[in-house]
mmCIF file of all heavy atoms in Angstrom:
data_model
loop_
_atom_site.group_PDB
_atom_site.id
_atom_site.type_symbol
_atom_site.label_atom_id
_atom_site.label_comp_id
_atom_site.label_asym_id
_atom_site.label_seq_id
_atom_site.Cartn_x
_atom_site.Cartn_y
_atom_site.Cartn_z
ATOM 1 N N GLU A 7 121.422 86.502 82.707
ATOM 2 C CA GLU A 7 120.445 85.448 82.440
ATOM 3 C C GLU A 7 119.211 85.685 83.295
ATOM 4 O O GLU A 7 119.258 86.346 84.324
ATOM 5 C CB GLU A 7 121.057 84.088 82.789
ATOM 6 C CG GLU A 7 122.232 83.693 81.921
ATOM 7 C CD GLU A 7 122.728 82.310 82.285
ATOM 8 O OE1 GLU A 7 121.864 81.458 82.618
ATOM 9 O OE2 GLU A 7 123.935 82.098 82.250
ATOM 10 N N ARG A 8 118.122 85.071 82.850
ATOM 11 C CA ARG A 8 116.883 85.114 83.621
ATOM 12 C C ARG A 8 116.264 83.745 83.632
ATOM 13 O O ARG A 8 116.308 83.015 82.639
ATOM 14 C CB ARG A 8 115.908 86.142 83.036
ATOM 15 C CG ARG A 8 116.293 87.595 83.335
ATOM 16 C CD ARG A 8 115.325 88.601 82.730
ATOM 17 N NE ARG A 8 115.567 89.955 83.222
ATOM 18 C CZ ARG A 8 116.481 90.775 82.755
ATOM 19 N NH1 ARG A 8 117.278 90.357 81.776
ATOM 20 N NH2 ARG A 8 116.645 91.993 83.254
ATOM 21 N N LEU A 9 115.672 83.414 84.744
ATOM 22 C CA LEU A 9 115.012 82.125 84.886
ATOM 23 C C LEU A 9 113.683 82.117 84.126
ATOM 24 O O LEU A 9 113.126 83.196 83.853
ATOM 25 C CB LEU A 9 114.751 81.811 86.362
ATOM 26 C CG LEU A 9 116.011 81.639 87.211
ATOM 27 C CD1 LEU A 9 115.607 81.466 88.688
ATOM 28 C CD2 LEU A 9 116.805 80.420 86.758
ATOM 29 N N PRO A 10 113.169 80.966 83.785
ATOM 30 C CA PRO A 10 111.868 80.899 83.112
ATOM 31 C C PRO A 10 110.762 81.497 83.973
ATOM 32 O O PRO A 10 110.813 81.432 85.211
ATOM 33 C CB PRO A 10 111.664 79.405 82.904
ATOM 34 C CG PRO A 10 113.009 78.793 83.004
ATOM 35 C CD PRO A 10 113.796 79.648 83.951
ATOM 36 N N ASN A 11 109.774 82.086 83.322
ATOM 37 C CA ASN A 11 108.568 82.633 83.994
ATOM 38 C C ASN A 11 108.848 83.810 84.902
ATOM 39 O O ASN A 11 108.058 84.092 85.806
ATOM 40 C CB ASN A 11 107.870 81.513 84.767
ATOM 41 C CG ASN A 11 107.522 80.324 83.915
ATOM 42 O OD1 ASN A 11 107.069 80.496 82.779
ATOM 43 N ND2 ASN A 11 107.750 79.133 84.445
ATOM 44 N N THR A 12 109.960 84.497 84.745
ATOM 45 C CA THR A 12 110.237 85.672 85.554
ATOM 46 C C THR A 12 111.222 86.558 84.813
ATOM 47 O O THR A 12 112.009 86.098 83.986
ATOM 48 C CB THR A 12 110.811 85.292 86.941
ATOM 49 O OG1 THR A 12 111.118 86.492 87.665
ATOM 50 C CG2 THR A 12 112.121 84.500 86.797
ATOM 51 N N GLN A 13 111.192 87.839 85.112
ATOM 52 C CA GLN A 13 112.143 88.795 84.567
ATOM 53 C C GLN A 13 113.204 89.121 85.592
ATOM 54 O O GLN A 13 113.997 90.062 85.407
ATOM 55 C CB GLN A 13 111.410 90.094 84.174
ATOM 56 C CG GLN A 13 110.469 89.924 82.977
ATOM 57 C CD GLN A 13 111.207 89.448 81.724
ATOM 58 O OE1 GLN A 13 112.204 90.041 81.333
ATOM 59 N NE2 GLN A 13 110.713 88.366 81.145
ATOM 60 N N SER A 14 113.308 88.343 86.659
ATOM 61 C CA SER A 14 114.298 88.583 87.702
ATOM 62 C C SER A 14 115.696 88.273 87.171
ATOM 63 O O SER A 14 115.945 87.157 86.674
ATOM 64 C CB SER A 14 113.996 87.708 88.918
ATOM 65 O OG SER A 14 114.980 87.859 89.910
ATOM 66 N N PRO A 15 116.620 89.230 87.269
ATOM 67 C CA PRO A 15 117.972 88.977 86.761
ATOM 68 C C PRO A 15 118.742 88.008 87.673
ATOM 69 O O PRO A 15 118.475 87.914 88.870
ATOM 70 C CB PRO A 15 118.611 90.355 86.770
ATOM 71 C CG PRO A 15 117.858 91.112 87.826
ATOM 72 C CD PRO A 15 116.462 90.602 87.780
ATOM 73 N N ILE A 16 119.667 87.313 87.103
ATOM 74 C CA ILE A 16 120.555 86.406 87.835
ATOM 75 C C ILE A 16 121.735 87.202 88.391
ATOM 76 O O ILE A 16 122.390 87.968 87.662
ATOM 77 C CB ILE A 16 121.080 85.259 86.948
ATOM 78 C CG1 ILE A 16 119.898 84.479 86.353
ATOM 79 C CG2 ILE A 16 122.017 84.357 87.719
ATOM 80 C CD1 ILE A 16 119.079 83.749 87.365
ATOM 81 N N ILE A 17 122.043 87.062 89.682
ATOM 82 C CA ILE A 17 123.210 87.746 90.287
ATOM 83 C C ILE A 17 124.024 86.721 91.081
ATOM 84 O O ILE A 17 123.493 85.730 91.554
ATOM 85 C CB ILE A 17 122.745 88.894 91.236
ATOM 86 C CG1 ILE A 17 121.910 88.360 92.397
ATOM 87 C CG2 ILE A 17 121.980 89.958 90.449
ATOM 88 C CD1 ILE A 17 121.601 89.421 93.439
ATOM 89 N N PRO A 18 125.321 86.967 91.219
ATOM 90 C CA PRO A 18 126.189 86.033 91.937
ATOM 91 C C PRO A 18 126.286 86.293 93.445
ATOM 92 O O PRO A 18 126.950 85.556 94.162
ATOM 93 C CB PRO A 18 127.549 86.261 91.263
ATOM 94 C CG PRO A 18 127.536 87.704 90.917
ATOM 95 C CD PRO A 18 126.088 88.006 90.524
ATOM 96 N N ASN A 19 125.649 87.391 93.923
ATOM 97 C CA ASN A 19 125.789 87.764 95.324
ATOM 98 C C ASN A 19 124.596 87.315 96.148
ATOM 99 O O ASN A 19 123.461 87.305 95.675
ATOM 100 C CB ASN A 19 125.906 89.305 95.403
ATOM 101 C CG ASN A 19 126.967 89.852 94.508
ATOM 102 O OD1 ASN A 19 126.678 90.516 93.511
ATOM 103 N ND2 ASN A 19 128.232 89.574 94.813
ATOM 104 N N LEU A 20 124.898 86.928 97.379
ATOM 105 C CA LEU A 20 123.845 86.515 98.328
ATOM 106 C C LEU A 20 123.205 87.766 98.893
ATOM 107 O O LEU A 20 123.827 88.495 99.685
ATOM 108 C CB LEU A 20 124.492 85.683 99.450
ATOM 109 C CG LEU A 20 123.561 85.019 100.438
ATOM 110 C CD1 LEU A 20 122.719 83.955 99.747
ATOM 111 C CD2 LEU A 20 124.363 84.390 101.568
#
Side-chain angles (χ1 to χ4, degrees):
E7 295 183 36
R8 286 179 169 81
L9 294 175
N11 304 317
T12 178
Q13 292 300 308
S14 177
I16 302 295
I17 62 172
N19 309 110
L20 187 65

